[in-house]
Amino acid sequence: MFRVITAVLAMGVSIGGIASAAQAQDAPKREIVQISGDLYRFQNKFHYSVFLVTPAGVIATDPIDADAAQWLKSEIASRFGKQIRYVVYSHDHVDHSSGGEVFAADGAIVIAHENAKRTILGEKRPTAVPQITFKKRMTLELGGKTVELRYLGKNHSDNMIVMRFPEERTLFAVDFLPVQTVAYRDFSDAYLPEWIESLARVERMDFDILAPGHGQLGTKADVTAFREYMSDLTGQVLEQARMGKSLEEAKAAVDLSKYSDWAQFEAWSPLNIAGAYQRIQLNRRGN
Ligand SMILES: [Zn+2]
């Protein structure tokens, strides 16, 4: 946690302050930190989103959950005197998209990838249904400010988008490119070859600051490092699978030690190997 706070402070000015001792011990950690210019990062426990303040109102992103969204809405009203005009979901997963109805109730327009709308309806996600969807790319303009929304293909889900804030030189990207952290567990909802291609597309985009959905801020070098991790992981696991090795044999043979200083390496890298092995076996059977 200390590392997260120092990394954030190094790149911006804290306007939220660190949770005071007066707050209940079990109250979720919530904080707003300026990333650059008019772009701010919102933290709710281990989840993060961003929002852009413009003269005509605010563009919010992942609401995270209804309580978090309620808190953020009142903080934006009191600190900036602005209404939330748009809310953009990074992807459908419930721990990021929940709570959109809190913003929509005040007239915010909800935007997401077209596949996200399908899943939000199909899985009855507890959030507002997107009113505007897109397939590849969309530019959102408000109060003279711009946000570029892009779909980069399937990766951690089939409906993940990234949001680029050109004036702030920042990219908001959730769950498919953690910063100095291995991938989350065993790739339960994942598309592995396309995932690596999405990362390469991010590397070709124009930004300096990477604002992920979890953990510390990063840079484009972190995207390259994570693409290399995913290539190493899937390349080595594929080699083992082609040699007919079992999962246990693959786990013993795959060497990811050059990433051993990354967060969650001990806990999740064996799960990453297992998840990649299962996905690769499915692909090799033509499923
Ligand atoms: Zn997710």
Side-chain angles (χ1 to χ4, degrees):
M1 198 41 72
F2 177 73
R3 203 171 67 159
V4 172
I5 291 165
T6 49
V8 168
L9 291 180
M11 297 182 109
V13 179
S14 171
I15 61 162
I18 293 157
S20 75
Q23 282 180 302
Q25 285 255 291
D26 56 354
K29 179 178 165 56
R30 289 183 180 140
E31 189 174 36
I32 292 170
V33 171
Q34 184 184 31
I35 296 175
S36 171
D38 298 314
L39 185 65
Y40 296 83
R41 195 174 194 215
F42 165 47
Q43 176 182 7
N44 184 71
K45 288 184 269 189
F46 299 109
H47 288 73
Y48 295 80
S49 65
V50 302
F51 63 90
L52 183 69
V53 180
T54 86
V58 168
I59 298 174
T61 62
D62 290 336
I64 301 176
D65 67 40
D67 287 345
Q70 201 63 252
W71 184 87
L72 182 61
K73 185 166 82 172
S74 61
E75 290 293 310
I76 287 173
S78 64
R79 294 181 193 202
F80 303 99
K82 303 284 184 198
Q83 262 210 310
I84 297 169
R85 298 283 308 277
Y86 293 98
V87 52
V88 188
Y89 302 151
S90 61
H91 65 309
D92 74 278
H93 290 168
V94 72
D95 61 322
H96 295 274
S97 70
S98 296
E101 74 280 5
V102 172
F103 303 146
D106 290 349
I109 295 166
V110 184
I111 302 174
H113 188 261
E114 62 180 17
N115 296 346
K117 180 178 181 178
R118 190 187 59 206
T119 308
I120 284 165
L121 286 168
E123 302 296 326
K124 301 186 175 60
R125 298 284 193 233
T127 195
V129 175
Q131 293 144 294
I132 298 176
T133 62
F134 67 99
K135 208 181 182 73
K136 288 271 182 219
R137 192 188 279 259
M138 176 176 168
T139 301
L140 185 55
E141 289 174 353
L142 181 68
K145 306 277 294 183
T146 300
V147 187
E148 182 191 313
L149 312 179
R150 275 187 69 183
Y151 179 67
L152 302 170
K154 296 175 181 179
N155 42 56
H156 161 89
S157 80
D158 73 352
N159 58 69
M160 180 70 69
I161 62 167
V162 296
M163 307 176 207
R164 192 174 74 93
F165 299 84
E167 283 179 48
E168 291 75 16
R169 311 254 340 128
T170 300
L171 188 81
F172 176 52
V174 176
D175 286 353
F176 78 105
L177 50 82
V179 173
Q180 289 172 42
T181 305
V182 302
Y184 182 69
R185 303 182 68 90
D186 65 353
F187 302 115
S188 57
D189 179 13
Y191 305 85
L192 287 181
E194 297 95 330
W195 189 326
I196 294 167
E197 184 46 42
S198 306
L199 294 167
R201 290 192 180 109
V202 173
E203 288 175 274
R204 294 194 288 271
M205 292 178 75
D206 185 23
F207 69 94
D208 297 321
I209 301 169
L210 172 64
H214 301 273
Q216 63 186 312
L217 294 178
T219 65
K220 197 178 283 186
D222 293 306
V223 183
T224 302
F226 189 70
R227 197 238 319 133
E228 287 169 357
Y229 171 78
M230 291 292 283
S231 297
D232 260 0
L233 168 72
T234 55
Q236 290 188 52
V237 172
L238 179 60
E239 196 184 333
Q240 294 296 314
R242 283 179 173 160
M243 289 192 294
K245 304 288 187 186
S246 68
L247 172 58
E248 287 315 307
E249 288 170 322
K251 273 187 183 168
V254 170
D255 180 9
L256 298 170
S257 58
K258 68 173 160 173
Y259 307 98
S260 61
D261 61 337
W262 284 12
Q264 303 295 349
F265 180 82
E266 299 293 335
W268 292 350
S269 68
L271 298 173
N272 288 181
I273 294 169
Y277 186 88
Q278 280 153 9
R279 296 268 149 198
I280 283 166
Q281 294 292 31
L282 288 174
N283 288 347
R284 291 175 77 230
R285 282 189 222 116
N287 290 338

